[in-house]
Amino acid sequence: MTTATDTLRTDAIAQYRVLGEETDPGLEALARLAATVCATSAAAVNLIDDRLQHTVAVVGIQPGVCSRDDSMCAVVFEDGQTVVVDDARADARFADNPFVTGPLGHVRFYASSPLITPDGVAIGTLCVFDDDVAELNATQAEGLELLARQAVDVLELRRHSHELVRSNDQLTQFAARISHDLRNPLTAIAGQIELAADALAADDTEGATRSLSHAEAAAGRMDGMITSLLAFARLGGARPQRAAVRLSDIVADALDDLESAIEGTHAVVTVDAPSDGLVSGDPALLRVLVQNLVANAVKFTQAAGVSPVIDIAARPSGDAWTITIDDNGPGVAPELRERAFSLLDRGNAGDVPGLGLGLATSRLIVGAHDGRIVLDDSPLGGARVRVTLPSAPVLTP
C-alpha cells in the first residue's frame, strides 16, 4: 500500500527529472569517487519510490531497475543513517536478499548513506558494495556521507536548472503579455502627441496644452501599469496589494486609453457604473482588466462586420460588485468559453489580430483578487463577460 511518505518521496524524485534520462555526469562522477574512497569494486546512486529501485548512476555494474522488495538499500534508507555491513550473509536484514544469495548478485560487503532532500525526504542512497568481505574505517564512512550530500546537491542543481528553463518560458509569455497590455496606453499617448502637434501647427496653444495633458495622464497610467504588472509577475500571480478602488474611475481611465480604438471603429460605448461602486484591489491591474475586456469586445465585434455597441455596467451583489461588459458581436459558443481563457488559445478568433492574451490575463488578475470571471450570452446578441470582485469599505471624503 502506498503511504503518504511514499507519495512525498515519489513527488520529490519526479522533480529531479532524472528517471529515464541519460546518466547525469555529476552523479556518475560521485559514484566513481565513492568506489575509490571506499575501495570497492562497485558503487551506485539509487532512487527508491513506492515500487521500484532506480539505479541512476553506477560504476562497476550495469545500471538497471529492480523491485523495491529485492533492494538492499530499500531496507535501510528510510532510517536516515549510514549503514556498513562487512559480510551481508551474516546480517539478518540482508542474508536472504537475492543480491546476496545469487539470483541477482553475490554481494558480501555493503555500505550506504541515505540521500535526504532539503525538505527532509529520504529518496534513496549512495551505496558501495563488493563481492568480497571488507571493512570501512571512520574516514571512509565520513567520505561516503559527504559524497551522498553532494549527490543531493547535484540533484537539486538539476531541479533548479529545469525551474530556470520553465521560468524563462514564463518570462517569454509575460513579455508578450506586457506588450499586449501596454499597446493601448501607448496608442493613446501617441495620438494625443499627434493632436498636440497639429494644434501647435494651427497656433492653437490651448488645444496643444490640453492634448499634452492627456498624453501625460496616459503616460502616468502606463507607468503605474508597468509597476503593478512587474510586481504581479514577481509574485507569480499571487495576491496583489489592495486598496479601495472606485469602479467608475477605473472604467473612465480604461476608456481614455482605448479612445483611439473606440473612435477608429465608431464604437458606441455606454457606461453605468455608480460612483459608490468600490472594490478591493490594485487599481492598475483592475484597469488592465477592464481595458482588456473592452478592447476584446470592440475588436471581435468590428471584425464580424458589425458597428460595435458596448455596454458596461456595475451592480452591487451582496458583499461584492459585478461588472458586466456586453457587446453585439458574434459571441462565444458555450463549448469554447472555458477554452477562451487559456493562454495563447484563440478559440474561434479566425483572422482577428492578437495573441490570445487578453482573457488569459483577465482571469489571472480576477483570480488574484479573489474574484470570478465567466463568459455568457449578451442581451445585445453577442458576448457578455461577467466579473465579480469583493467590495471594499466605503471611502471617506
Side-chain angles (χ1 to χ4, degrees):
M1 183 179 68
T2 301
T3 67
T5 301
D6 287 332
T7 300
L8 281 176
R9 179 179 303 111
T10 301
D11 289 345
I13 292 171
Q15 290 180 25
Y16 294 127
R17 298 190 180 188
V18 69
L19 301 186
E21 301 291 333
E22 291 185 8
T23 301
D24 187 295
L27 294 177
E28 187 174 40
L30 288 171
R32 189 172 301 279
L33 185 56
T36 301
V37 168
C38 297
T40 59
S41 61
V45 177
N46 294 320
L47 300 182
I48 303 169
D49 58 25
D50 59 328
R51 298 181 303 108
L52 301 170
Q53 172 180 283
H54 307 265
T55 300
V56 296
V58 68
V59 60
I61 60 169
Q62 291 297 315
V65 177
C66 73
S67 165
R68 179 168 169 160
D69 292 338
D70 292 336
S71 165
M72 296 179 70
C73 292
V75 175
V76 293
F77 81 113
E78 290 183 281
D79 295 339
Q81 304 293 323
T82 295
V83 173
V84 179
V85 179
D86 296 349
D87 187 346
R89 293 171 300 182
D91 191 302
R93 295 171 294 181
F94 306 115
D96 295 328
N97 188 279
F99 279 99
V100 175
T101 58
L104 296 179
H106 298 86
V107 172
R108 298 296 175 259
F109 173 76
Y110 168 83
S112 67
S113 190
L115 306 179
I116 310 293
T117 72
D119 292 330
V121 180
I123 58 172
T125 68
L126 171 60
C127 69
V128 294
F129 46 95
D130 204 287
D131 289 347
D132 296 323
V133 175
E135 295 180 351
L136 211 63
N137 60 40
T139 301
Q140 290 172 313
E142 184 178 354
L144 184 62
E145 292 175 0
L146 176 61
L147 293 173
R149 290 195 293 271
Q150 291 293 314
V152 174
D153 289 342
V154 170
L155 291 170
E156 282 291 300
L157 182 59
R158 284 182 63 94
R159 181 173 67 83
H160 289 306
S161 295
H162 287 298
E163 288 176 355
L164 181 59
V165 170
R166 186 168 63 250
S167 295
N168 284 338
D169 290 341
Q170 292 172 344
L171 183 60
T172 299
Q173 293 178 355
F174 181 66
R177 190 173 294 170
I178 282 281
S179 65
H180 173 275
D181 293 332
L182 295 183
R183 185 177 298 117
N184 290 311
L186 277 172
T187 301
I189 293 169
Q192 293 297 336
I193 291 175
E194 185 176 343
L195 289 174
D198 291 342
L200 287 174
D203 291 327
D204 181 5
T205 305
E206 183 178 343
T209 301
R210 184 170 54 253
S211 294
L212 289 174
S213 177
H214 289 319
E216 183 179 12
R221 290 193 296 271
M222 188 173 69
D223 180 65
M225 187 185 296
I226 292 170
T227 300
S228 290
L229 284 170
L230 288 174
F232 193 50
R234 292 190 197 101
L235 293 173
R239 284 174 169 268
Q241 292 188 342
R242 304 293 184 95
V245 180
R246 202 182 302 275
L247 287 175
S248 57
D249 292 342
I250 292 298
V251 172
D253 286 344
L255 292 180
D256 280 346
D257 287 340
L258 292 169
E259 183 177 0
S260 295
I262 291 171
E263 290 182 353
T265 58
H266 305 289
V268 176
V269 180
T270 60
V271 179
D272 182 7
S275 59
D276 63 346
L278 298 173
V279 295
S280 176
D282 182 297
L285 290 177
L286 293 178
R287 191 165 60 248
V288 171
L289 170 66
V290 175
Q291 177 186 293
N292 275 331
L293 297 179
V294 175
N296 266 6
V298 171
K299 178 172 63 176
F300 284 97
T301 301
Q302 194 269 339
V306 179
S307 295
V309 175
I310 313 296
D311 283 351
I312 306 170
R315 295 286 182 270
S317 177
D319 58 353
W321 277 81
T322 295
I323 306 102
T324 55
I325 298 175
D326 290 292
D327 65 56
N328 63 330
V332 181
E335 66 271 16
L336 296 176
R337 288 173 184 168
E338 179 61 27
R339 183 179 139 196
F341 289 102
S342 299
L343 188 64
L344 302 180
D345 191 327
R346 308 197 57 238
N348 60 348
D351 295 329
V352 178
L355 294 172
L357 291 164
L359 285 177
T361 302
S362 298
R363 171 169 277 186
L364 190 63
I365 292 173
V366 171
H369 284 81
D370 300 321
R372 186 167 179 263
I373 181 171
V374 295
L375 281 170
D376 207 341
D377 293 322
S378 168
L380 296 181
R384 162 173 280 185
V385 182
R386 186 171 68 250
V387 176
T388 304
L389 296 169
S391 299
V394 176
L395 291 172
T396 55

